[in-house]
Amino acid sequence: MPIPKKVVPEASPETDDWQELYGLVDDNLVGALSAMRDAGYPLPEIGYELMEGNRVVAEAELAWEEMKLAVTYPEHLETFQRNDWNILECQTVQDDLSVLLKIFEEPAGEQ
């Protein structure tokens, strides 16, 4: 499913948390955030930093730490994978949001 490039909905009490994220995320992922909000998915962390000890070793544009799920750029994929994260490349999510949404639909433990 193609994602609209820039769809920023108006703020309301229910969307204030999401609204804050739109200014922080890569513009190409704003459409994905809007779709996730509309579908009732959990808020991601924007700009997640993967740490090894007290050193940042990789970054993700979107992350759900409790699920060990990250949407990141190619240069960080291997590091997240080495740390047992489920990973998707940003471009993949931009091209087909359903890839990310399917992960949230899977029963726990099947990711």
Side-chain angles (χ1 to χ4, degrees):
M1 144 186 355
I3 302 169
K5 289 288 185 205
K6 185 96 171 167
V7 178
V8 180
E10 293 183 30
S12 71
E14 298 82 34
T15 62
D16 282 344
D17 289 339
W18 285 95
Q19 193 69 31
E20 290 178 26
L21 301 182
Y22 295 123
L24 302 174
V25 74
D26 181 308
D27 285 347
N28 294 317
L29 292 172
V30 169
L33 282 181
S34 295
M36 293 184 72
R37 185 214 57 221
D38 292 346
Y41 291 111
L43 285 164
E45 183 173 334
I46 306 295
Y48 180 83
E49 295 178 332
L50 181 63
M51 306 291 288
E52 285 183 0
N54 57 356
R55 188 172 70 102
V56 176
V57 294
E59 296 179 15
E61 193 65 27
L62 307 174
W64 294 264
E65 188 173 21
E66 67 282 355
M67 296 175 66
K68 291 190 90 171
L69 172 61
V71 177
T72 190
Y73 292 99
E75 61 268 23
H76 300 289
L77 293 173
E78 186 177 312
T79 305
F80 274 98
Q81 190 171 29
R82 190 173 60 244
N83 284 275
D84 299 320
W85 280 66
N86 297 300
I87 50 173
L88 292 171
E89 189 174 335
C90 289
Q91 187 64 52
T92 300
V93 173
Q94 291 169 29
D95 293 343
D96 185 4
L97 177 60
S98 69
V99 172
L100 177 59
L101 298 182
K102 284 178 190 173
I103 292 172
F104 287 96
E105 295 167 4
E106 293 175 0
E110 290 187 23
Q111 299 157 11

